[in-house]
């Protein structure tokens, strides 16, 4: 693995970890010592090569597809990360259940699967948004506008959905 590729892979690993609000020490704690902070940090700096098996296990730990961790094909690999889709769970709680019930149940399921009960925000993936769009019988872009109007998604989510629909 070239050192440039290792650094790009490390940047992706760091981005995923920080999106999930985890410090290196937090990864070690959440994994009950399976992922040592020093090892994950060396992967993120590109100082240590990660095997395909370990990368797949790390992707599973973070709850993301392996391809999310692999450097992109953009020139120089320095693509700006797409805006995150972050649900404001506090705002979601104030939306009437007849409107937001399916979203509230879906978010609770994701929290349960991740063991993530901070109760303030929840990052979701494009696939989650597409699934929710099916549940709400709307396109992802229409659902995004609805969630923005409820105050559950930040307006930056428009860019994330638009950039994903183009690809």
């Amino acid at each position: 693995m070239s050192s440039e590729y290792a650094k790009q892979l490390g940047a992706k690993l760091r981005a995923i970890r920080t999106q999930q609000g985890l410090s290196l020490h937090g990864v070690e704690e959440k994994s009950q010592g399976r992922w040592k902070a020093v090892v994950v940090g060396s992967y993120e700096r590109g100082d240590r090569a990660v095997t395909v098996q370990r990368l797949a296990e790390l992707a599973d730990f973070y709850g993301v597809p392996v391809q999310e961790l692999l450097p992109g094909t953009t020139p120089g690999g320095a693509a700006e990360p797409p805006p995150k889709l972050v649900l404001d769970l506090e705002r979601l709680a104030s939306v009437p259940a007849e409107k937001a019930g399916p979203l509230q149940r879906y978010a609770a399921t994701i929290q349960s699967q991740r063991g993530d009960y901070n109760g303030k925000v929840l990052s979701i993936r494009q696939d989650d948004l597409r699934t929710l769009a099916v549940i709400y019988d709307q396109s992802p872009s229409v659902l995004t506008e609805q969630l923005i109007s409820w105050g559950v998604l930040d307006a930056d989510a428009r860019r994330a959905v638009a950039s994903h629909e183009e690809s």
Side-chain angles (χ1 to χ4, degrees):
M1 178 163 51
S2 78
S3 68
E4 184 57 34
Y5 189 85
K7 286 185 182 355
Q8 291 175 18
L9 176 67
K12 290 281 233 165
L13 288 169
R14 182 176 298 110
I16 294 292
R17 175 179 56 77
T18 58
Q19 282 176 5
Q20 295 188 3
L22 291 170
S23 65
L24 287 170
H25 184 68
V27 168
E28 188 167 338
E29 284 181 348
K30 186 176 176 184
S31 71
Q32 298 173 333
R34 184 175 190 294
W35 292 102
K36 301 291 184 207
V38 67
V39 172
V40 174
S42 64
Y43 290 156
E44 290 181 3
R45 289 186 305 277
D47 294 342
R48 184 176 185 157
V50 59
T51 65
V52 172
Q53 178 67 34
R54 293 290 280 168
L55 187 63
E57 292 169 6
L58 196 52
D60 187 51
F61 171 75
Y62 286 139
V64 299
V66 175
Q67 61 266 26
E68 286 294 317
L69 300 179
L70 299 175
T73 56
T74 56
E80 179 183 326
K84 294 185 285 184
L85 295 173
V86 180
L87 297 175
D88 182 330
L89 298 176
E90 292 174 326
R91 280 270 181 86
L92 179 58
S94 67
V95 178
E98 63 271 9
K99 290 181 178 180
L103 177 57
Q104 290 166 335
R105 288 188 297 278
Y106 195 86
T109 301
I110 292 172
Q111 286 178 294
S112 174
Q113 289 172 343
R114 292 183 188 170
D116 176 9
Y117 299 102
N118 75 23
K120 293 181 174 32
V121 296
L122 180 69
S123 295
I124 62 170
R125 295 178 278 227
Q126 291 286 341
D127 287 344
D128 295 319
L129 186 65
R130 282 195 298 274
T131 300
L132 286 164
V134 169
I135 292 169
Y136 278 93
D137 195 25
Q138 297 177 342
S139 71
S141 56
V142 169
L143 178 60
T144 299
E145 291 302 322
Q146 181 68 58
L147 298 178
I148 291 169
S149 74
W150 292 348
V152 173
L153 268 183
D154 188 272
D156 279 347
R158 285 186 187 105
R159 284 191 310 132
V161 172
S163 69
H164 195 268
E165 288 178 345
E166 291 169 5
S167 55

